[in-house]
Amino acid sequence: MPMPQPIPEDGELSELQELTFDEGFNDKWCEEMIGELEKRFQQLDADNSGMVDRDELKSALQGAANKMTDEEIQQLLDEFDMDANGGVDLQEFITIMHVRYLNQDEAENDMLDAFRLLDRDGDGVVTSEELHFAIQDALGDILSDQEAQALIAVADESSKGGITFEDFEKIVNFKE
């Protein structure tokens, strides 16, 4: 599957803008997701103009907008507004959400695949034995059982006796 193009800057056109509902998205995304995005767009488009403008975006971000400056809201609008006409239409909204969530889903799938390589018995928890075996298999005998246990103890935020996918995700993404 080809990687999505980056979001264009300064009003540049991209191949993503040329995707239509029939050509691009149905092959890559399910119709349910497009339907859900259409509903969300309609909620944002308070005046039913077919375009979300700056005021509608600011209103939709009520809680976050209190913390966001007008400049930050304008930057967000500019990011979504691919044709630089001052608002975001449905096609732009679906395109940008497609790019953002497709990349997120691919990264999460890669992370899940990496976790599964470590979780040899498939029980959802990487034990010190599994970690030791994986490191030994990949890098040689550079880690003792005690060192593997110490690594697990540090990473086991869920207190399940090993590293769960959630623990693994936090480690990989450097989250607290």
Side-chain angles (χ1 to χ4, degrees), residues 10-48:
D10 301 326
E12 294 176 16
L13 295 178
S14 74
E15 292 175 21
L16 286 173
Q17 289 175 288
E18 298 172 9
L19 288 176
T20 65
F21 294 114
D22 295 330
E23 291 174 353
F25 288 113
N26 285 341
D27 291 341
K28 297 177 185 174
W29 240 10
C30 67
E31 290 181 31
E32 284 180 30
M33 182 59 77
I34 291 173
E36 185 63 34
L37 288 174
E38 286 174 341
K39 288 178 192 172
R40 288 182 185 229
F41 180 83
Q42 289 169 354
Q43 291 170 345
L44 292 172
D45 183 19
D47 64 2
N48 296 316

Side-chain angles (χ1 to χ4, degrees), residues 153-166:
V154 168
D156 182 17
E157 291 189 18
S158 61
S159 302
K160 297 205 176 185
I163 301 172
T164 63
F165 180 69
E166 290 77 23

Side-chain angles (χ1 to χ4, degrees), residues 10 23 28 31 36-37 39 46 49 55 58 61 67 76 79 101 112 131 134 153 155 171 174:
D10 301 326
E23 291 174 353
K28 297 177 185 174
E31 290 181 31
E36 185 63 34
L37 288 174
K39 288 178 192 172
S49 66
D55 292 334
K58 187 173 184 174
L61 297 172
K67 297 174 188 168
L76 185 61
E79 179 182 347
Y101 290 111
L112 190 55
L131 181 63
I171 293 166
F174 304 107

Side-chain angles (χ1 to χ4, degrees), residues 64-169:
N66 291 335
K67 297 174 188 168
M68 293 177 73
T69 66
D70 285 343
E71 184 178 295
E72 290 170 327
I73 291 172
Q74 186 63 47
Q75 287 174 344
L76 185 61
L77 179 64
D78 291 344
E79 179 182 347
F80 279 62
D81 183 14
M82 292 181 188
D83 60 7
N85 67 353
V88 178
D89 63 30
L90 177 61
Q91 183 69 36
E92 290 169 325
F93 182 74
I94 291 175
T95 299
I96 196 78
M97 298 309 282
H98 172 73
V99 170
R100 286 179 180 227
Y101 290 111
L102 179 65
N103 286 340
Q104 181 180 344
D105 290 346
E106 286 180 5
E108 190 167 315
N109 287 339
D110 290 346
M111 195 178 316
L112 190 55
D113 289 343
F115 179 78
R116 287 179 179 150
L117 287 173
L118 296 173
D119 183 22
R120 297 181 63 84
D121 63 8
D123 67 352
V125 178
V126 177
T127 63
S128 61
E129 294 82 19
E130 289 170 319
L131 181 63
H132 183 247
F133 182 81
I135 291 174
Q136 183 178 15
D137 194 38
L139 302 173
D141 198 15
I142 63 166
L143 188 69
S144 71
D145 290 336
Q146 293 80 13
E147 290 168 325
Q149 289 171 359
L151 286 173
I152 293 293
V154 168
D156 182 17
E157 291 189 18
S158 61
S159 302
K160 297 205 176 185
I163 301 172
T164 63
F165 180 69
E166 290 77 23
D167 296 334
F168 182 75
E169 193 173 29

